[in-house]
Amino acid sequence: MKRIARRSNFFEVGRSHRLPLIGLGLWASLSWQRAELANLALEKADRQGEIDGMKATAQKMRDQGLKIEFGNCGEYKGRKRICVAIEPRLKPWGTEQAPFAILKGY
């Protein structure tokens, strides 16, 4: 009978410690999520800075009368491939692994 009493007492103690462990787990999870949100906010600000820089560059190009023609050049591994028009009269240069060409309109 004493063994049964000890077992039930052990499980009752275990139950009383479950709530703080659950609370600790919730606190850790929420802390991690807050840190992730802070990182995402910083990344968003970085990306917005890059976008603003690209917009300024595009505006300078438009002001100079330059225009890049984009097109859809099919798909590769499930992703759409975007291509640009190049100047057909000029031959490409560079290496076979990394050829370069002048964009049409430059």
Side-chain angles (χ1 to χ4, degrees):
M1 290 267 188
K2 288 184 180 182
R3 285 185 179 177
I4 293 172
R6 284 184 187 171
R7 284 186 185 166
S8 64
N9 191 15
F10 173 76
F11 286 114
E12 287 176 19
V13 170
R15 286 183 195 152
S16 67
H17 288 294
R18 288 181 191 162
L19 188 58
L21 288 175
I22 290 171
L24 181 63
L26 286 172
W27 175 82
S29 176
L30 289 174
S31 295
W32 175 78
Q33 289 176 1
R34 285 185 186 137
E36 286 296 309
L37 285 174
N39 289 339
L40 287 173
L42 290 173
E43 188 175 335
K44 180 182 177 185
D46 288 344
R47 297 290 179 251
Q48 189 60 49
E50 290 176 13
I51 290 169
D52 292 342
M54 289 178 191
K55 284 180 180 179
T57 301
Q59 186 59 47
K60 284 179 190 176
M61 291 171 65
R62 274 189 235 110
D63 293 345
Q64 294 174 0
L66 304 173
K67 181 182 175 188
I68 299 174
E69 296 178 40
F70 291 96
N72 184 1
C73 295
E75 289 190 21
Y76 178 72
K77 293 185 179 180
R79 294 176 59 194
K80 288 184 180 179
R81 299 192 84 170
I82 297 173
C83 54
V84 294
I86 62 169
E87 192 63 52
R89 296 171 295 184
L90 301 173
K91 68 177 188 170
W93 72 92
T95 65
E96 193 173 308
Q97 292 81 20
F100 288 89
I102 295 178
L103 297 174
K104 188 175 181 181
Y106 279 89

